[in-house]
Amino acid sequence: MRELLLVRYGEIFLKGLNRPYFIRALVRKIRYAVRDLGAQVWVHDGRIFVNGFEDLDECVRRVTRVFGVHSVCPAVEMERDDFDASLAHAFANAGKPIFGICLGIQTLNKAFGGTLEEMFKKRTQVEHLFREHLCLTTEGSVTRSLFGDTFPINSRHQICVDRVADGFIVTALSPDGIVEEMRHETLPIYGFQYHPERMRGEYPEPPDGPDMTRLFAWFVEQCKKGRKRNETD
């Protein structure tokens, strides 16, 4: 396994509309800094990685001197899609509840045989990155039972569920038809394209959306029920 470095950047850049632009600019600066070391710089899931370099110490020294870089540390290289899929199936086979958010719902759908659509806004002409819109729930939606038929949610994605995996049903859509929630028909597996964890606390996103603390409390109860069933089996 070749050496792989994970670049950590300052927390101040992790939020807000400028995050994608900052990451691209930072990647350009890092590539320039290590241009003669044979290194490769790439981004996956919002994280910056460096590998292929000839001199580890010199590479670390140069990268850490780039403005905006917080630190550099070793990273374990793996095929994340395969790992996440195997983890999802292990939980499903054990009957353990799963709560997938954003990349989570995409991972679940792909792991169980569904497909994804990248850059779907080219087709729909509707932007879903750093936006807010209504969530339209359907029968069987957990959030409908907690918050009603429709409510405002945040939107932070450019990839969406395309063909829904067998065994799953859609329980909420955006006004333009993008899957916002889905669940398994028989197993305690739930996916959310939006970010319910950001819809609580002092500064919820969006500010007029429901407090999703109740949703997480509901999921904790599902986990407790599952644990009790396992203890009695």
PDB file of all heavy atoms in Angstrom, residues 11 21 23 31 33-34 40 42 59 70 95 106 135 142 162 173 179 181 200:
ATOM      1  N   GLU A  11     -11.158  24.900  10.183  1.00  0.00           N
ATOM      2  CA  GLU A  11     -12.594  24.777  10.395  1.00  0.00           C
ATOM      3  C   GLU A  11     -13.362  25.973   9.851  1.00  0.00           C
ATOM      4  O   GLU A  11     -14.518  25.863   9.474  1.00  0.00           O
ATOM      5  CB  GLU A  11     -12.887  24.639  11.897  1.00  0.00           C
ATOM      6  CG  GLU A  11     -12.441  23.327  12.498  1.00  0.00           C
ATOM      7  CD  GLU A  11     -13.250  22.151  11.972  1.00  0.00           C
ATOM      8  OE1 GLU A  11     -14.454  22.337  11.719  1.00  0.00           O
ATOM      9  OE2 GLU A  11     -12.684  21.073  11.798  1.00  0.00           O
ATOM     10  N   TYR A  21     -15.358  26.536  -3.534  1.00  0.00           N
ATOM     11  CA  TYR A  21     -14.350  27.377  -4.189  1.00  0.00           C
ATOM     12  C   TYR A  21     -13.036  27.347  -3.407  1.00  0.00           C
ATOM     13  O   TYR A  21     -11.955  27.320  -3.992  1.00  0.00           O
ATOM     14  CB  TYR A  21     -14.867  28.804  -4.301  1.00  0.00           C
ATOM     15  CG  TYR A  21     -16.196  28.900  -5.014  1.00  0.00           C
ATOM     16  CD1 TYR A  21     -17.368  29.087  -4.301  1.00  0.00           C
ATOM     17  CD2 TYR A  21     -16.285  28.776  -6.402  1.00  0.00           C
ATOM     18  CE1 TYR A  21     -18.601  29.146  -4.951  1.00  0.00           C
ATOM     19  CE2 TYR A  21     -17.503  28.843  -7.063  1.00  0.00           C
ATOM     20  CZ  TYR A  21     -18.652  29.030  -6.326  1.00  0.00           C
ATOM     21  OH  TYR A  21     -19.860  29.086  -6.958  1.00  0.00           O
ATOM     22  N   ILE A  23     -11.924  24.882  -1.502  1.00  0.00           N
ATOM     23  CA  ILE A  23     -11.278  23.590  -1.679  1.00  0.00           C
ATOM     24  C   ILE A  23     -10.544  23.532  -3.018  1.00  0.00           C
ATOM     25  O   ILE A  23      -9.401  23.072  -3.099  1.00  0.00           O
ATOM     26  CB  ILE A  23     -12.304  22.449  -1.574  1.00  0.00           C
ATOM     27  CG1 ILE A  23     -12.841  22.367  -0.131  1.00  0.00           C
ATOM     28  CG2 ILE A  23     -11.680  21.121  -1.977  1.00  0.00           C
ATOM     29  CD1 ILE A  23     -13.908  21.315   0.055  1.00  0.00           C
ATOM     30  N   ARG A  31      -0.995  21.534  -5.246  1.00  0.00           N
ATOM     31  CA  ARG A  31      -0.389  20.954  -6.444  1.00  0.00           C
ATOM     32  C   ARG A  31       0.827  21.753  -6.888  1.00  0.00           C
ATOM     33  O   ARG A  31       1.846  21.173  -7.304  1.00  0.00           O
ATOM     34  CB  ARG A  31      -1.419  20.888  -7.571  1.00  0.00           C
ATOM     35  CG  ARG A  31      -2.436  19.762  -7.404  1.00  0.00           C
ATOM     36  CD  ARG A  31      -3.525  19.833  -8.448  1.00  0.00           C
ATOM     37  NE  ARG A  31      -4.436  18.698  -8.322  1.00  0.00           N
ATOM     38  CZ  ARG A  31      -5.645  18.645  -8.857  1.00  0.00           C
ATOM     39  NH1 ARG A  31      -6.095  19.681  -9.586  1.00  0.00           N
ATOM     40  NH2 ARG A  31      -6.399  17.590  -8.693  1.00  0.00           N
ATOM     41  N   ALA A  33       2.722  23.537  -4.901  1.00  0.00           N
ATOM     42  CA  ALA A  33       3.762  23.383  -3.890  1.00  0.00           C
ATOM     43  C   ALA A  33       4.547  22.086  -4.059  1.00  0.00           C
ATOM     44  O   ALA A  33       5.742  22.027  -3.755  1.00  0.00           O
ATOM     45  CB  ALA A  33       3.148  23.446  -2.494  1.00  0.00           C
ATOM     46  N   VAL A  34       3.901  21.025  -4.556  1.00  0.00           N
ATOM     47  CA  VAL A  34       4.561  19.717  -4.667  1.00  0.00           C
ATOM     48  C   VAL A  34       4.761  19.322  -6.131  1.00  0.00           C
ATOM     49  O   VAL A  34       4.949  18.136  -6.441  1.00  0.00           O
ATOM     50  CB  VAL A  34       3.737  18.633  -3.927  1.00  0.00           C
ATOM     51  CG1 VAL A  34       3.628  18.958  -2.451  1.00  0.00           C
ATOM     52  CG2 VAL A  34       2.340  18.492  -4.531  1.00  0.00           C
ATOM     53  N   GLN A  40       0.575  13.420  -6.421  1.00  0.00           N
ATOM     54  CA  GLN A  40      -0.761  13.620  -6.950  1.00  0.00           C
ATOM     55  C   GLN A  40      -1.656  14.169  -5.838  1.00  0.00           C
ATOM     56  O   GLN A  40      -1.595  13.698  -4.695  1.00  0.00           O
ATOM     57  CB  GLN A  40      -1.347  12.306  -7.474  1.00  0.00           C
ATOM     58  CG  GLN A  40      -0.571  11.717  -8.647  1.00  0.00           C
ATOM     59  CD  GLN A  40      -1.142  10.393  -9.095  1.00  0.00           C
ATOM     60  OE1 GLN A  40      -1.720   9.657  -8.303  1.00  0.00           O
ATOM     61  NE2 GLN A  40      -0.988  10.078 -10.378  1.00  0.00           N
ATOM     62  N   TRP A  42      -5.686  15.065  -4.901  1.00  0.00           N
ATOM     63  CA  TRP A  42      -7.043  14.811  -5.354  1.00  0.00           C
ATOM     64  C   TRP A  42      -8.033  14.940  -4.196  1.00  0.00           C
ATOM     65  O   TRP A  42      -7.652  14.948  -3.023  1.00  0.00           O
ATOM     66  CB  TRP A  42      -7.147  13.429  -6.007  1.00  0.00           C
ATOM     67  CG  TRP A  42      -6.453  12.322  -5.279  1.00  0.00           C
ATOM     68  CD1 TRP A  42      -5.113  12.066  -5.258  1.00  0.00           C
ATOM     69  CD2 TRP A  42      -7.045  11.321  -4.438  1.00  0.00           C
ATOM     70  NE1 TRP A  42      -4.834  10.980  -4.474  1.00  0.00           N
ATOM     71  CE2 TRP A  42      -6.004  10.490  -3.962  1.00  0.00           C
ATOM     72  CE3 TRP A  42      -8.355  11.039  -4.072  1.00  0.00           C
ATOM     73  CZ2 TRP A  42      -6.230   9.408  -3.124  1.00  0.00           C
ATOM     74  CZ3 TRP A  42      -8.591   9.946  -3.232  1.00  0.00           C
ATOM     75  CH2 TRP A  42      -7.537   9.148  -2.772  1.00  0.00           C
ATOM     76  N   CYS A  59       7.479  16.475   1.237  1.00  0.00           N
ATOM     77  CA  CYS A  59       6.086  16.683   0.829  1.00  0.00           C
ATOM     78  C   CYS A  59       5.271  17.250   1.989  1.00  0.00           C
ATOM     79  O   CYS A  59       4.522  18.221   1.821  1.00  0.00           O
ATOM     80  CB  CYS A  59       5.481  15.374   0.344  1.00  0.00           C
ATOM     81  SG  CYS A  59       3.797  15.544  -0.296  1.00  0.00           S
ATOM     82  N   HIS A  70      -4.297  23.127   7.774  1.00  0.00           N
ATOM     83  CA  HIS A  70      -4.171  23.048   9.236  1.00  0.00           C
ATOM     84  C   HIS A  70      -3.122  22.023   9.640  1.00  0.00           C
ATOM     85  O   HIS A  70      -2.281  22.269  10.501  1.00  0.00           O
ATOM     86  CB  HIS A  70      -5.532  22.682   9.847  1.00  0.00           C
ATOM     87  CG  HIS A  70      -5.524  22.620  11.337  1.00  0.00           C
ATOM     88  ND1 HIS A  70      -5.283  21.453  12.027  1.00  0.00           N
ATOM     89  CD2 HIS A  70      -5.709  23.593  12.267  1.00  0.00           C
ATOM     90  CE1 HIS A  70      -5.335  21.707  13.335  1.00  0.00           C
ATOM     91  NE2 HIS A  70      -5.584  22.979  13.504  1.00  0.00           N
ATOM     92  N   GLY A  95     -30.014  -6.977  11.322  1.00  0.00           N
ATOM     93  CA  GLY A  95     -31.256  -6.334  11.736  1.00  0.00           C
ATOM     94  C   GLY A  95     -31.052  -5.052  12.507  1.00  0.00           C
ATOM     95  O   GLY A  95     -31.951  -4.586  13.210  1.00  0.00           O
ATOM     96  N   GLN A 106     -27.354   8.004  -0.494  1.00  0.00           N
ATOM     97  CA  GLN A 106     -26.788   7.611  -1.781  1.00  0.00           C
ATOM     98  C   GLN A 106     -26.042   6.286  -1.657  1.00  0.00           C
ATOM     99  O   GLN A 106     -26.160   5.400  -2.513  1.00  0.00           O
ATOM    100  CB  GLN A 106     -25.862   8.711  -2.285  1.00  0.00           C
ATOM    101  CG  GLN A 106     -26.560  10.040  -2.530  1.00  0.00           C
ATOM    102  CD  GLN A 106     -25.603  11.209  -2.681  1.00  0.00           C
ATOM    103  OE1 GLN A 106     -24.392  11.014  -2.803  1.00  0.00           O
ATOM    104  NE2 GLN A 106     -26.122  12.428  -2.660  1.00  0.00           N
ATOM    105  N   CYS A 135     -40.087  19.988   1.699  1.00  0.00           N
ATOM    106  CA  CYS A 135     -40.041  18.537   1.661  1.00  0.00           C
ATOM    107  C   CYS A 135     -41.486  18.049   1.627  1.00  0.00           C
ATOM    108  O   CYS A 135     -42.287  18.389   2.507  1.00  0.00           O
ATOM    109  CB  CYS A 135     -39.325  18.002   2.904  1.00  0.00           C
ATOM    110  SG  CYS A 135     -39.184  16.204   2.960  1.00  0.00           S
ATOM    111  N   VAL A 142     -41.775   8.700   8.189  1.00  0.00           N
ATOM    112  CA  VAL A 142     -41.600   8.964   9.621  1.00  0.00           C
ATOM    113  C   VAL A 142     -41.765  10.451   9.902  1.00  0.00           C
ATOM    114  O   VAL A 142     -42.405  10.851  10.870  1.00  0.00           O
ATOM    115  CB  VAL A 142     -40.218   8.482  10.095  1.00  0.00           C
ATOM    116  CG1 VAL A 142     -39.966   8.908  11.538  1.00  0.00           C
ATOM    117  CG2 VAL A 142     -40.101   6.985   9.945  1.00  0.00           C
ATOM    118  N   ASP A 162     -31.392   7.979  -8.236  1.00  0.00           N
ATOM    119  CA  ASP A 162     -32.035   7.847  -9.551  1.00  0.00           C
ATOM    120  C   ASP A 162     -33.023   6.679  -9.485  1.00  0.00           C
ATOM    121  O   ASP A 162     -34.175   6.850  -9.129  1.00  0.00           O
ATOM    122  CB  ASP A 162     -30.972   7.639 -10.625  1.00  0.00           C
ATOM    123  CG  ASP A 162     -31.553   7.607 -12.029  1.00  0.00           C
ATOM    124  OD1 ASP A 162     -32.721   8.020 -12.207  1.00  0.00           O
ATOM    125  OD2 ASP A 162     -30.846   7.180 -12.960  1.00  0.00           O
ATOM    126  N   LEU A 173     -40.281  13.734  -1.277  1.00  0.00           N
ATOM    127  CA  LEU A 173     -39.701  14.292  -2.492  1.00  0.00           C
ATOM    128  C   LEU A 173     -39.541  15.800  -2.348  1.00  0.00           C
ATOM    129  O   LEU A 173     -40.215  16.432  -1.536  1.00  0.00           O
ATOM    130  CB  LEU A 173     -40.605  14.009  -3.698  1.00  0.00           C
ATOM    131  CG  LEU A 173     -40.816  12.553  -4.114  1.00  0.00           C
ATOM    132  CD1 LEU A 173     -41.963  12.460  -5.100  1.00  0.00           C
ATOM    133  CD2 LEU A 173     -39.540  11.969  -4.719  1.00  0.00           C
ATOM    134  N   VAL A 179     -35.602  12.649  -4.805  1.00  0.00           N
ATOM    135  CA  VAL A 179     -35.838  11.834  -3.608  1.00  0.00           C
ATOM    136  C   VAL A 179     -35.168  12.485  -2.399  1.00  0.00           C
ATOM    137  O   VAL A 179     -33.956  12.703  -2.399  1.00  0.00           O
ATOM    138  CB  VAL A 179     -35.303  10.400  -3.796  1.00  0.00           C
ATOM    139  CG1 VAL A 179     -35.457   9.604  -2.503  1.00  0.00           C
ATOM    140  CG2 VAL A 179     -36.025   9.708  -4.940  1.00  0.00           C
ATOM    141  N   GLU A 181     -36.284  11.404   0.978  1.00  0.00           N
ATOM    142  CA  GLU A 181     -36.322  10.383   2.019  1.00  0.00           C
ATOM    143  C   GLU A 181     -36.701   9.048   1.389  1.00  0.00           C
ATOM    144  O   GLU A 181     -37.475   9.006   0.431  1.00  0.00           O
ATOM    145  CB  GLU A 181     -37.361  10.703   3.107  1.00  0.00           C
ATOM    146  CG  GLU A 181     -37.139  11.963   3.892  1.00  0.00           C
ATOM    147  CD  GLU A 181     -38.259  12.184   4.911  1.00  0.00           C
ATOM    148  OE1 GLU A 181     -39.030  11.233   5.187  1.00  0.00           O
ATOM    149  OE2 GLU A 181     -38.384  13.309   5.415  1.00  0.00           O
ATOM    150  N   ARG A 200     -31.479  21.755  13.929  1.00  0.00           N
ATOM    151  CA  ARG A 200     -31.670  21.766  15.375  1.00  0.00           C
ATOM    152  C   ARG A 200     -30.604  22.657  15.985  1.00  0.00           C
ATOM    153  O   ARG A 200     -29.696  23.115  15.300  1.00  0.00           O
ATOM    154  CB  ARG A 200     -31.581  20.352  15.958  1.00  0.00           C
ATOM    155  CG  ARG A 200     -30.308  19.594  15.571  1.00  0.00           C
ATOM    156  CD  ARG A 200     -30.316  18.158  16.043  1.00  0.00           C
ATOM    157  NE  ARG A 200     -30.491  18.093  17.467  1.00  0.00           N
ATOM    158  CZ  ARG A 200     -29.504  18.240  18.362  1.00  0.00           C
ATOM    159  NH1 ARG A 200     -28.265  18.460  17.939  1.00  0.00           N
ATOM    160  NH2 ARG A 200     -29.733  18.162  19.635  1.00  0.00           N
TER     161      ARG A 200
END
